[in-house]
Amino acid sequence: KKREERSVDGMESGSGRALLRAILRAHRGRLPQDMRALGDRYVREEFRRHRAVDADTAAMFCREWQAYLAQLGADAPPPGSAQQPAQFGRALSSDDVAAMSPQQRAQLAKLHAAATLGAQPVHDSEHVAPGRG
């Protein structure tokens, strides 16, 4: 039986392209320049890698990125505010880390290094769910 595939760009709960644009707009209005550059590269790469995935993966992918967008809005001060937040995101619990695949943990380590050392993120060939590394 052929597995149903669906493009992230064609999700009925809102176009994947619209979600990507909303995330990039949020980055533009909410993140410091260095974080924005890293975040924009990562988001574009993840959306590119998830262009044609099965329907369940596409739904999970979009849900996770919508949660990221909501979290980003909750963490950041309003656009134009001189106030910078002390921290973005949330700490991963031990349960979050335990639920990750070895590839996701490796991707998380690479992203951590890129964020703390200013290096370019290196992407594995494996698909990594957003919010999971």
Side-chain angles (χ1 to χ4, degrees):
K1 193 174 191 180
K2 185 178 176 182
R3 213 166 65 167
E4 179 186 349
E5 287 194 2
R6 177 172 298 160
S7 166
V8 170
D9 290 342
M11 290 297 299
E12 30 312 353
S13 65
S15 151
R17 281 189 201 117
L19 179 57
L20 173 61
R21 285 191 306 266
I23 292 167
L24 295 175
R25 269 193 312 274
H27 283 183
R28 195 170 41 249
R30 304 281 182 155
L31 295 180
Q33 185 61 37
D34 57 338
M35 289 179 74
R36 177 183 167 203
L38 177 65
D40 286 357
R41 280 191 306 271
Y42 181 73
V43 170
R44 283 186 179 109
E45 179 65 24
E46 284 298 299
F47 272 76
R48 217 174 278 123
R49 289 177 14 185
H50 286 81
R51 277 190 181 148
V53 294
D54 64 75
D56 290 339
T57 301
M60 179 193 70
F61 180 86
C62 287
R63 267 194 317 274
E64 291 291 331
W65 280 109
Q66 288 164 346
Y68 166 77
L69 185 58
Q71 182 68 46
L72 181 62
D75 288 345
S81 171
Q83 171 189 357
Q84 285 295 321
Q87 177 179 332
F88 284 94
R90 65 174 177 81
L92 292 173
S93 71
S94 56
D95 290 341
D96 290 334
V97 176
M100 291 180 183
S101 69
Q103 293 87 1
Q104 289 171 322
R105 284 193 284 278
Q107 181 70 11
L108 179 62
K110 289 174 186 177
L111 286 171
H112 182 265
T116 57
L117 302 174
Q120 297 285 329
V122 178
H123 296 283
D124 290 332
S125 61
E126 299 292 320
H127 287 249
V128 177
R132 295 281 189 217

